[in-house]
């Protein structure tokens, strides 16, 4: 199991706790995509991806994050990120994706930012 | 100091090849005395190169192999990933950091490689395909590297 | 905790395959949360199994492959190494620790595997060849494992 | 370079300082064999293999050590071992080769043991 995905709700925000690696193939990226699609289908508009336990993302995994963001946006929902490990943070810098994603280091702040 | 084995593999065009390339490069870099941060950066870069060879170059073809090698050369760690695909012109690849491309789901691999290791060379292989050469300069001296 | 990727490779019957098997198994065990001592022991056992597949099983034949996999199963790490050789009867292998064999230059691989990991199974593969299964029991709990 | 081999002489004992890995293939085991054969050909009778910097030996490498030992014995020379790392020591236990080799943890003692 490369990637674990658990969802919980706090104050109307769905927090998706991810753990492991989000990489090419081995269903890990598919899992994230499916989770976000399901949440959107259920009408959720505020999605917070908690990457605190994600040790590694490759370019394919970054693509999944971007796709989740775009799909959500197109449905009037928002996807934000929480708790990036240093390696993941570096990749957002390298790829300039930090200009796309709103990133928090604190769950309470992140939840407030949706209101 | 750091010993380093030379490794040369012919691998199938499957996802496990991407994992194997990453793991082998990281393992040898670690043995070669590189610190964990450099090891991780190399691993990520190798992953991107191998993923391109498997997906774009060989397009998962069962008839095509990925040729992978790692060796220490003049104190530098050199990784080569070669596929048997059509080849491509890296000059034609769009800049993934420009605004119109930021929301694309792909196109960040070469950028990541260049940012993660010290040298990246993408060249046409003969008779066909692409060879990507990734170089890490010598490991930090022992004090720094620990 | 420890995530673990499943890896499955078809490798050529060359020495680099022995290195690759060792490095991949060690890398995944490390990611799976095993401590350095267990990682090292696994690496040595995998090396012996892969060396046997390459040298005895496939006898370096360019037509024969070594089939290698690593996965985490019910919290145990399972490595499989299969060759396409003639097979052999492990019961017929001489005990390398008995006095008359102590000065032989070979014959210690199976003994080492059995001493290094928690479970070793050597079985006939179908349609031909040998499959060696090496098992490490779950990584020590986080406190012990660090 | 998997294995480095350097020789020096102290009080009539040739010390072979080995570093790296002694494993199947990649000429590493060949290097050890050749070094010992050359020393015997030059008439050396007291050979001390210093494994202090050898991080790893596989069954093929153990075979090389045993061959060096046997070849030397058959020519009236002796091969002893110095400074084993824990991993290598464990392998000598597993394989009962500690009953074959004389092992020292101290160079001066090892040199004395030859007289
Ligand atoms: N080995 C290769 N063989 C053929 N085309 C390649 C290869 N590597 C990269 N490319 C081309 O360059 C483009 C950019 O590659 P890259 O920056 O790695 O991003 P991505 O793989 O996500 O598309 C790819 O979409 C592909 O068209
Ligand atoms: N995969 C295999 N295929 C065929 N024969 C094998 C295989 N593995 C081991 N053997 C046989 O078992 C013997 C003992 O193997 P091992 O204990 O690993 O020591 P070594 O490889 O040093 O001989 C080998 O010499 C060989 O005859």
């Amino acid at each position: 199991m490369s990637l674990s995905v658990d969802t919980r709700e706090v104050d109307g925000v769905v927090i998706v706790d991810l753990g492991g690696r989000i990489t090419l193939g081995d269903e890990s990226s598919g899992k994230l995509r499916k989770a976000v699609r399901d949440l959107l289908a259920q009408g959720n508009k505020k999605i917070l991806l908690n990457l605190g336990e994600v040790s590694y993302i490759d370019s394919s995994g970054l693509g999944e994050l971007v796709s989740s963001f775009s799909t959500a946006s197109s449905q009037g929902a928002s996807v934000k990120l929480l708790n990036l490990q240093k390696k993941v943070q570096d990749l957002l810098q390298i790829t300039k994706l930090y200009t796309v994603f709103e990133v928090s280091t604190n769950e309470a702040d992140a939840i407030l930012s949706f209101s | 100091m750091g010993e380093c084995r030379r490794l040369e593999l012919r691998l199938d065009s499957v996802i496990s090849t991407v994992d194997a390339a990453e793991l082998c490069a990281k393992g040898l870099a670690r043995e070669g005395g590189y610190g964990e941060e450099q090891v991780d950066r190399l691993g990520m870069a190798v992953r991107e190169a191998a993923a391109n060879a498997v997906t774009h170059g060989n397009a998962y073809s069962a008839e095509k192999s990925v040729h992978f090698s790692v060796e220490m050369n003049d104190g530098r760690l050199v990784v080569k990933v070669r596929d048997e695909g059509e080849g491509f012109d890296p000059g034609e690849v769009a800049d993934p950091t420009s605004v119109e491309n930021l929301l694309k789901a792909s196109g960040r691999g070469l950028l990541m490689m260049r940012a993660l290791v010290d040298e990246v060379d993408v060249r046409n292989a003969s008779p066909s395909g692409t060879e990507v050469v990734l170089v890490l300069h010598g490991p930090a001296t022992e004090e720094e590297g620990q």
Side-chain angles (χ1 to χ4, degrees), chain B residues 118-131:
Chain B
D118 296 315
E119 292 176 36
V120 177
D121 185 23
V122 179
R123 56 203 190 196
N124 290 320
S126 82
S128 80
T130 302
E131 180 167 69

Side-chain angles (χ1 to χ4, degrees), chain A residues 2-100:
Chain A
S2 281
L3 182 73
S4 64
V5 179
D6 294 297
T7 59
R8 57 194 164 97
E9 204 183 308
V10 180
D11 295 341
V13 175
V14 183
I15 303 175
V16 184
D17 294 308
L18 300 164
R21 296 164 55 96
I22 313 179
T23 57
L24 180 68
D26 72 354
E27 98 231 52
S28 66
S29 18
K31 259 192 206 166
L32 169 60
R33 202 186 321 182
K34 184 173 179 309
V36 171
R37 206 172 40 210
D38 289 352
L39 291 173
L40 293 171
Q42 291 155 24
N44 295 289
K45 298 285 179 211
K46 302 169 179 180
I47 299 174
L48 182 61
L49 302 180
N50 177 10
L51 301 179
E53 298 294 322
V54 171
S55 56
Y56 186 71
I57 300 189
D58 67 6
S59 73
S60 164
L62 286 177
E64 290 299 319
L65 288 182
V66 171
S67 294
S68 300
F69 176 90
S70 316
T71 310
S73 301
S74 71
Q75 303 186 21
S78 52
V79 165
K80 302 183 181 187
L81 308 183
L82 176 66
N83 292 333
L84 308 191
Q85 293 191 12
K86 171 147 189 325
K87 248 186 285 184
V88 174
Q89 215 170 313
D90 288 348
L91 288 186
L92 290 198
Q93 293 283 343
I94 291 169
T95 56
K96 300 229 170 102
L97 284 175
Y98 65 89
T99 62
V100 168

Side-chain angles (χ1 to χ4, degrees), chain A residues 59, chain B residues 52-53 56-57 83 87-88 93 106-111 113 130:
Chain A
S59 73
Chain B
N52 282 354
H56 302 308
D83 62 54
F88 76 108
V93 172
S106 65
R108 298 180 180 87
L110 289 164
L111 169 74
M113 286 180 234
T130 302

Side-chain angles (χ1 to χ4, degrees), chain B residues 78-94:
Chain B
V78 180
V79 175
K80 294 180 182 164
V81 179
R82 179 165 63 83
D83 62 54
E84 300 174 348
E86 305 278 302
F88 76 108
D89 179 355
E92 296 282 294
V93 172

